[in-house]
Amino acid sequence: MTLLPVGAAPALLTAIPSPEQSVWWLGPFPLRGYALSILVGIFAAMWITSLRMRARGGTGQEIYDIAVPTIVLGIVGGRIYHVVSSPWPYFGPEGNLADAVKIWEGGLGIWGAVALGAVGAWWGARRHGYSFLDIADALMPGLLVAQALGRWGNWFNNELYGGPSDAPWAVQIHEMSGGEAVRDAAGDAVVLGTFQPTFLYEALWCLLVAVAILLVDRRFRLARGQVVGLYLMGYTLGRFFIEIMRTDPAQMVFGQRINVWVSIAVFLLGAAIWWWRRRVGDLPARGAAERHTPATA
């Protein structure tokens, strides 16, 4: 990578600026932009899910009752997926295995988070006597909002961008080290260039899919689990193309980034869930609280 030539500096005025710092210290305690983005997303998802559960006849308390196992296992799963799908920083010749647990430095894979988070939600639902599928369907729009907000953690870290771009919506990227931009001899932050803001594309796509799911869910009476299928298909449809645009290092499989193949597989899984749950025809009750309905799925 090279610095922008002097003549290219005016282009920065029409680009999205990135923070020159991603970590702030409150005494000995670090306040990280990445972590804040994730936390805001989690709280937003819980609030939206609570509203949707009440609208579906629940109490709204369901999501808070299962939050701990869902969040904890979701974070663990997200980190495991990231380490497995991007192994060289941890297992490569110059890797450091101890860095695998440094989740505060960034690196959560959405599919590991969804998979283990679902296990935590299922366990919590069974423990409290809730319908897992009712909660999962209620959660999907909020989860997409959480993903959209979480992507801004990548903006704080100056990471996950696409190829070089001079478009007005391109993002300015700094060379970062230790949570802040590297400085040149004059004390100015070193700018690597302006690039496609793939983090922003994904955030906007997540919000678009969330709105689409809300509209479909309001217009049609869907069977339990069909909203989950919509989420899997909708999110991966955009992620497939966004993943192709990204230029950060990734594990390659048959000439493509591993998450391209995962997106295809998860999209097909979502289509299968949609079709299966439609065939089952397990419609949720209208207006009747199901707090004590034993989970059957």
Side-chain angles (χ1 to χ4, degrees), residues 24-211:
W24 299 265
W25 292 89
L26 302 177
F29 303 104
L31 187 64
R32 303 179 186 275
Y34 184 87
L36 285 175
S37 300
I38 298 295
L39 287 174
V40 171
I42 288 173
F43 287 125
M46 292 173 64
W47 177 67
I48 293 170
T49 304
S50 178
L51 294 178
R52 279 176 54 79
M53 284 301 296
R54 287 204 296 269
R56 288 165 167 253
T59 65
Q61 181 63 31
E62 296 89 346
I63 188 62
Y64 300 107
D65 290 338
I66 70 168
V68 172
T70 302
I71 294 170
V72 171
L73 287 184
I75 291 174
V76 171
R79 188 59 177 178
I80 290 174
Y81 184 91
H82 167 75
V83 171
V84 171
S85 61
S86 304
W88 50 90
Y90 316 103
F91 304 102
E94 299 180 3
N96 183 3
L97 184 58
D99 289 343
V101 299
K102 295 180 180 179
I103 193 171
W104 53 88
E105 293 184 354
L108 291 174
I110 182 59
W111 297 123
V114 169
L116 274 192
V119 172
W122 173 82
W123 179 83
R126 286 188 64 86
R127 182 170 178 267
H128 289 277
Y130 300 143
S131 166
F132 167 68
L133 286 181
D134 282 341
I135 297 178
D137 282 342
L139 173 62
M140 293 302 102
L143 176 58
L144 284 161
V145 172
Q147 289 176 236
L149 292 170
R151 276 304 177 201
W152 287 92
N154 303 130
W155 176 69
F156 278 106
N157 286 351
N158 284 243
E159 62 185 4
L160 299 195
Y161 46 87
S165 174
D166 59 0
W169 57 84
V171 63
Q172 176 190 126
I173 297 296
H174 300 99
E175 181 179 354
M176 302 290 286
S177 178
E180 59 183 52
V182 175
R183 303 282 172 177
D184 60 20
D188 298 321
V190 174
V191 177
L192 298 176
T194 55
F195 302 87
Q196 291 284 354
T198 53
F199 81 91
L200 178 60
Y201 297 158
E202 184 167 337
L204 294 175
W205 179 255
C206 286
L207 294 177
L208 179 63
V209 176
V211 171

